[in-house]
Amino acid sequence: AQTVTQSQPEMSVQEAETVTLSCTYDTSESDYYLFWYKQPPSRQMILVIRQEAYKQQNATENRFSVNFQKAAKSFSLKISDSQLGDAAMYFCAYRTFYTGANSKLTFGKGITLSVRP
Amino acid sequence: DGGITQSPKYLFRKEGQNVTLSCEQNLNHDAMYWYRQDPGQGLRLIYYSQIVNDFQKGDIAEGYSVSREKKESFPLTVTSAQKNPTAFYLCASTRTGGNYGYTFGSGTRLTVV
């Protein structure tokens, strides 16, 4: 079974600075998908960014980018020019490439990010 | 607009009662999921369904039951057998396969009184 580990329960960043949230995962599969989700105080889960394991290029979405290291099974999220609205809990998630009964997301325990004004 | 609707937003249950949480989607998604969120525990999978009239247990299914009679609906019943039901419950849906993430509902906060 796949596992996702977010070892830092909390992080803090100064507004306008850059912060990197870490995530590692364990899998025996060669093809899969990885995601970062944001959960603000409203508790609505929002998809931030996704990465296909077969793509070497790191995904980017505006101020959000990932550092995907397949051999190291590492998938970190970098937030540039941090804003107060970035304060939230962030979850890393893994999804198998294959369809069928195991096509579900496995989540890490999350990281709480605070942004200092 | 398409989306997932969870109701109610807040729910209070007395000891020994069964309660049902509603989850409805109009995204034409095949797969639907129920997660439980507790502080420091992340999201833990309760049940999921990939087609109508079929569902599978997740990691923490004990004390819960579901049904999937319609593609759009995936209600979760928290039974009296669930020893610690106070938590935040999230419903999600997705297309099967591909790099699709989930679309989530806004959640239901269940409290035992």
Side-chain angles (χ1 to χ4, degrees):
Chain A
Q2 295 82 17
T3 58
V4 178
T5 302
Q6 296 178 257
S7 57
Q8 305 155 300
E10 296 179 353
M11 291 194 72
S12 181
V13 63
Q14 189 75 35
E15 193 175 7
E17 297 292 311
T18 296
V19 64
T20 298
L21 309 182
S22 300
C23 173
T24 59
Y25 57 93
D26 187 28
T27 184
S28 58
E29 299 175 340
S30 58
D31 291 318
Y32 45 87
Y33 306 104
L34 297 165
F35 304 85
W36 277 98
Y37 278 86
K38 172 185 178 181
Q39 187 180 44
S42 68
R43 307 199 79 169
Q44 178 67 55
M45 294 284 282
I46 303 165
L47 177 63
V48 175
I49 200 166
R50 75 188 82 199
Q51 173 79 43
E52 293 87 353
Y54 55 84
K55 290 186 178 179
Q56 294 186 344
Q57 186 173 6
N58 288 326
T60 61
E61 288 287 344
N62 300 313
R63 297 183 295 108
F64 298 88
S65 61
V66 299
N67 183 6
F68 173 49
Q69 301 290 328
K70 190 173 183 179
K73 297 181 182 175
S74 171
F75 183 59
S76 59
L77 175 68
K78 185 172 80 172
I79 306 174
S80 304
D81 185 25
S82 296
Q83 301 174 0
L84 295 177
D86 294 333
M89 180 167 279
Y90 287 82
F91 292 95
C92 179
Y94 172 103
R95 181 175 185 177
T96 182
F97 178 81
Y98 303 101
T99 59
N102 291 322
S103 182
K104 58 186 183 293
L105 282 178
T106 300
F107 289 88
K109 292 189 176 182
I111 299 172
T112 299
L113 177 67
S114 59
V115 180
R116 304 186 301 276
Chain B
D1 288 341
I4 296 182
T5 301
Q6 286 189 244
S7 61
K9 191 173 179 67
Y10 299 96
L11 185 58
F12 297 90
R13 190 193 94 168
K14 293 183 179 180
E15 296 276 356
Q17 275 186 339
N18 292 353
V19 291
T20 297
L21 284 60
S22 172
C23 178
E24 303 275 337
Q25 55 98 359
N26 60 3
L27 300 164
N28 199 32
H29 285 171
D30 293 308
M32 298 187 73
Y33 306 81
W34 274 106
Y35 283 87
R36 170 177 171 147
Q37 186 176 12
D38 297 281
Q41 295 288 331
L43 277 68
R44 293 183 291 170
L45 183 62
I46 304 172
Y47 267 99
Y48 63 103
S49 168
Q50 300 207 308
I51 56 173
V52 174
N53 293 322
D54 187 48
F55 47 83
Q56 289 79 39
K57 292 182 179 180
D59 301 318
I60 55 165
E62 184 175 354
Y64 300 96
S65 66
V66 294
S67 63
R68 187 86 185 276
E69 298 177 359
K70 299 186 300 181
K71 187 176 185 178
E72 301 78 19
S73 179
F74 191 42
L76 174 74
T77 296
V78 184
T79 74
S80 57
Q82 170 51 236
K83 300 304 180 187
N84 184 21
T86 294
F88 186 66
Y89 291 86
L90 281 163
C91 180
S93 71
T94 188
R95 302 177 192 176
T96 52
N99 67 347
Y100 307 111
Y102 288 176
T103 300
F104 282 87
S106 56
T108 293
R109 174 68 183 179
L110 174 63
T111 304
V112 174
V113 296

